[in-house]
């Protein structure tokens, strides 16, 4: 009896050993991470579909989905189809946290993608412990310089250049073109605006008057009127607005009402004509002659191969919607996400995806006119801007009739004219 039991024990141990050896020789299965099966990838986004920031920004997830659907119809990513789960966070950080938790715990998404806003993205990262849980937060729609810091946000990747980069480039432009003018500044008083202040300081720009505003206060009637009164009293001739598009609308409207004329210089976040039109159509013509900044081709530039493709895809998916900067942003988000997923390979894991972006992300095809800055030490996205002027319809057109791109970093590096040559778009905008 003892011998029999001993033989059974030896046989069982041998079977277990063989099973262990077999398991160790097999690749790790993607199913070990939530949101991935042999046929599907589930991604999630929280974005203001309603609320103060919804005009314009609520088009981003629809644009993303349109591109994902296009990819799915053409074979998907390594044989998998992408599903995008959309949650409305109303641009409220606490709501964004609750919605992100739903995406992670209830919907069990593989990764977050395209989260909008500095405050919401910071809150999600801290409260849901993305880094500790190894959950990728891909291509967030905010230029807060902190998200490029791998040590602070190891699973988060930006898509925008940092606001410090933008302010440095803007600062050089102001010094080159308006050195003898009195400069005014309106800026959002949070991480968004403080990044800009740091960039302007690095650029050596001094403002005659600088006016901070609390996020959300731009919707109060007295706020915009107060801005214009202070600018007029200071005698400013050139006014920089580093805020959101609803703040641009408030400034333009109150300037018009007060008969105040200034050369407006709008940051990339606050210069979206479609968003301004959604807030107050009467003030789109007031953008005429204002200066603006962008790192992607103009949405009206149908000679650009990416814009032409995106226009076609979006027209099929959303035939009644205007094609604008927000659509370009959403499709660019999705395009980079597909690049990253495809490059990670069929054995798709969260850790593998993060490593892929760090090691290969700088070489991804992209609609952007600037280099991508992803590396093992930096999670910054695009790295520069071109400068343009708004025409009577509110379209931003590059100065001189061509895109002249300037690049820099978020530190003390110089602002230089870029020699970057964007690689050709993959056939049909597909990477598989």
């Amino acid at each position: 009896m003892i011998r029999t039991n001993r033989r059974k024990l030896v046989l069982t141990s041998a079977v277990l050993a063989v099973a262990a050896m077999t398991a160790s020789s097999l690749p790790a299965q993607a199913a070990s991470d939530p949101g991935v099966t042999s046929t599907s990838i589930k991604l999630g986004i929280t974005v203001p579909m309603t609320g103060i920031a919804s005009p314009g920004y609520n088009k981003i997830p629809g644009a993303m989905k349109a591109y994902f659907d296009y990819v799915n119809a053409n074979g998907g990513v390594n044989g998998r189809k992408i599903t995008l789960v959309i949650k409305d966070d109303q641009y409220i950080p606490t709501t964004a946290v609750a919605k992100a938790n739903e995406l992670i715990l209830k919907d069990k998404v593989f990764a977050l993608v395209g989260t909008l806003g500095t405050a919401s993205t910071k809150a999600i990262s801290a409260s849901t412990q993305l880094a500790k849980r190894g959950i990728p937060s891909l291509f967030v729609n905010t230029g807060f310089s902190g998200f490029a810091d791998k040590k602070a946000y190891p699973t988060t990747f930006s898509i925008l250049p940092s606001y410090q980069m933008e302010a440095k480039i803007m600062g050089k432009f102001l010094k080159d073109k308006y050195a003898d003018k009195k400069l005014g500044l309106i800026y959002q008083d949070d991480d968004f605006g403080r990044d800009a202040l740091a960039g302007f300081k690095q650029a050596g720009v001094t403002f005659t008057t600088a006016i901070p505003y609390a996020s959300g206060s731009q919707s109060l009637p007295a706020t915009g009127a107060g801005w214009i009164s202070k600018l007029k009293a200071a005698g400013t001739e050139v006014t920089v607005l580093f805020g959101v598009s609803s703040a641009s609308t408030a400034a333009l409207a109150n300037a018009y009402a007060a008969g105040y004329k200034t050369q407006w210089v709008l940051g990339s976040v606050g210069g979206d004509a479609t968003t301004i039109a959604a807030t107050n159509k009467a003030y789109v013509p007031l953008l005429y002659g204002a200066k603006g900044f962008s790192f992607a081709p103009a949405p009206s530039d149908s000679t650009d191969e990416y814009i032409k493709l995106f226009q076609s895809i979006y027209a099929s998916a959303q035939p009644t919607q205007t094609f604008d900067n927000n659509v370009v942003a959403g499709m660019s988000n999705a395009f980079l996400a597909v690049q990253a997923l495809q490059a990670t390979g069929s054995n798709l894991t969260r850790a593998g995806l993060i490593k892929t972006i760090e090691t290969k992300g700088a070489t991804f095809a992209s609609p952007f006119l600037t280099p991508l800055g992803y590396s093992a030490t930096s999670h910054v996205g695009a790295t520069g801007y071109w400068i343009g002027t708004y025409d009577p319809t509110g379209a931003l057109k590059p100065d001189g009739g061509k895109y002249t791109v300037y690049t820099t970093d978020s530190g003390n590096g110089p602002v230089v004219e870029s020699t970057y040559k964007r690689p050709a778009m993959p056939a049909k905008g597909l990477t598989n």
Side-chain angles (χ1 to χ4, degrees), residues 1-9:
M1 185 70 175
I2 294 175
R3 289 181 180 176
T4 301
N5 288 339
R6 185 176 295 157
R7 283 198 298 270
K8 287 182 178 179
L9 178 60

Side-chain angles (χ1 to χ4, degrees), residues 16-330:
L16 291 174
V18 171
M21 290 174 64
T22 302
S24 65
S25 68
L26 292 173
Q29 296 301 304
S32 63
D33 281 338
V36 178
T37 72
S38 60
T39 60
S40 66
I41 305 168
K42 187 185 293 186
L43 304 176
I45 180 174
T46 75
V47 69
M49 299 301 291
T50 61
I52 189 172
S54 62
Y57 291 138
N58 59 8
K59 297 170 75 171
I60 288 176
M64 291 172 65
K65 185 178 183 302
Y67 182 75
F68 287 146
D69 288 346
Y70 172 73
V71 170
N72 290 343
N74 284 274
V77 177
N78 294 317
R80 296 183 174 100
K81 303 295 180 68
I82 299 175
T83 299
L84 181 66
V85 184
I86 303 165
K87 302 284 185 179
D88 179 12
D89 63 22
Q90 299 180 312
Y91 207 56
I92 301 171
T94 52
T95 304
V97 169
K99 298 302 181 182
N101 270 320
E102 285 183 16
L103 289 170
I104 294 165
L105 300 175
K106 181 181 176 182
D107 299 296
K108 299 189 183 302
V109 299
F110 175 68
L112 302 179
V113 60
T115 300
L116 185 125
T118 302
S120 292
T121 305
K122 288 180 73 173
I124 289 170
S125 181
S127 297
T128 65
Q129 297 184 302
L130 296 181
K132 184 178 180 180
R133 297 158 77 177
I135 301 171
S137 183
L138 305 180
F139 314 129
V140 294
N141 282 297
T142 161
F144 172 54
S145 60
F147 295 134
D149 183 354
K150 178 184 174 179
K151 292 182 179 179
Y153 296 93
T155 67
T156 298
F157 293 86
S158 298
I159 193 168
L160 279 64
S162 78
Y163 298 134
Q164 281 182 251
M165 289 179 181
E166 183 173 8
K168 286 174 66 179
I169 293 169
M170 191 181 289
K172 182 182 186 307
F173 170 74
L174 292 170
K175 290 172 71 175
D176 289 347
K177 191 171 181 64
Y178 304 114
D180 59 340
K181 303 294 184 182
K182 289 185 177 181
L183 304 178
L185 172 66
I186 302 170
Y187 68 96
Q188 190 162 296
D189 192 15
D190 54 15
D191 287 316
F192 175 21
R194 286 188 285 273
D195 252 6
L197 292 179
F200 287 128
K201 183 177 180 180
Q202 288 166 327
V205 174
T206 301
F207 292 96
T208 302
T209 185
I211 305 169
Y213 74 91
S215 177
S217 68
Q218 67 269 23
S219 62
L220 302 174
T223 299
W227 296 344
I228 303 307
S229 294
K230 291 176 182 178
L231 293 170
K232 287 180 69 176
T236 57
E237 300 164 279
V238 178
T239 303
V240 174
L241 198 150
F242 216 96
V244 295
S245 291
S246 55
S248 299
T249 303
L252 292 169
N254 281 279
Y256 176 77
Y260 171 65
K261 297 186 181 298
T262 186
Q263 173 61 59
W264 289 103
V265 179
L266 306 179
S268 58
V269 173
D272 183 65
T274 305
T275 302
I276 293 171
T279 307
N280 194 322
K281 287 182 171 58
Y283 296 104
V284 175
L286 297 185
L287 279 170
Y288 180 41
K291 296 295 182 178
F293 292 71
S294 181
F295 58 94
S300 59
D301 184 4
S302 56
T303 65
D304 182 274
E305 57 185 352
Y306 280 96
I307 296 299
K308 185 177 180 179
L309 174 69
F310 289 173
Q311 287 174 338
S312 174
I313 294 171
Y314 198 68
S316 296
Q318 302 281 355
T320 64
Q321 293 282 345
T322 302
F323 185 88
D324 58 19
N325 280 328
N326 294 296
V327 177
V328 175

